[in-house]
Amino acid sequence: MARGTLTDTYVAAIQHDLAELPADATRVGVVRRPTSWFHAAVDENLPELGPPEPLLESMRDAEEDMKIQGLCEEGAHNAAWEQVGFGEAYRDHLESDDSARAAIETLSERLAAGESLALVCYENTEKKRCHRTILREYLEG
């Protein structure tokens, strides 16, 4: 059986019909705290693959500091990402958290069985860095 495809997008792209996803792709949310409108745009959500709360909080705090210093929203987000070492901390979470590792194993098995998956979160990665990109690379590795 052929391996399923793995893509990713952000929720607003789905809501506004801007996402180019395979027709058969299961939309898998990967956010820690989904809203009701987020749930309406995805087929399922795996909160254990969202960034851990302490990392999200440090990111929010650093982003607010950057905005106070005069950076635009995207600039503040991306600068805060670097400042808090977000990418490395998120990769550590994927490797060390039992529930995250179990979810990755399940997604890997689903891909191997031929299911196509689309990872979904809030960030438009054309403008902002996002954990979803790291997760996709991790699953592709």
Side-chain angles (χ1 to χ4, degrees):
M1 179 175 279
R3 181 174 169 81
T5 59
L6 181 63
T7 57
D8 68 278
T9 191
Y10 60 107
V11 67
I14 293 172
Q15 292 168 321
H16 299 290
D17 206 24
L18 303 173
E20 294 184 21
L21 301 175
D24 64 340
T26 303
R27 295 171 303 196
V28 181
V30 291
V31 300
R32 187 67 55 177
R33 289 180 312 229
T35 61
S36 58
W37 51 266
F38 185 89
H39 275 298
V42 298
D43 299 306
E44 61 189 88
N45 185 56
L46 300 174
E48 57 273 26
L49 293 178
E53 282 296 332
L55 181 56
L56 287 172
E57 288 172 20
S58 63
M59 180 72 182
R60 269 193 303 274
D61 292 346
E63 195 171 344
E64 287 305 311
D65 289 345
M66 300 289 180
K67 287 179 188 173
I68 290 169
Q69 294 173 32
L71 289 175
C72 67
E73 184 177 339
E74 291 87 4
H77 175 91
N78 294 329
W81 176 285
E82 293 299 326
Q83 182 178 318
V84 304
F86 194 99
E88 185 176 323
Y90 182 66
R91 280 184 200 86
D92 288 347
H93 168 71
L94 294 179
E95 293 174 3
S96 64
D97 184 85
D98 290 341
S99 60
R101 287 196 348 244
I104 287 170
E105 180 72 24
T106 299
L107 290 180
S108 294
E109 289 169 0
R110 289 167 65 181
L111 286 165
E115 184 176 356
S116 292
L117 303 174
L119 305 174
V120 182
C121 78
Y122 294 111
E123 301 297 352
N124 176 349
T125 54
E126 290 178 21
K127 299 177 181 175
K128 294 181 177 182
R129 308 228 7 225
C130 179
H131 78 285
R132 172 181 94 233
T133 307
I134 294 170
L135 178 59
R136 181 177 174 184
E137 291 168 1
Y138 199 89
L139 284 164
E140 289 173 336

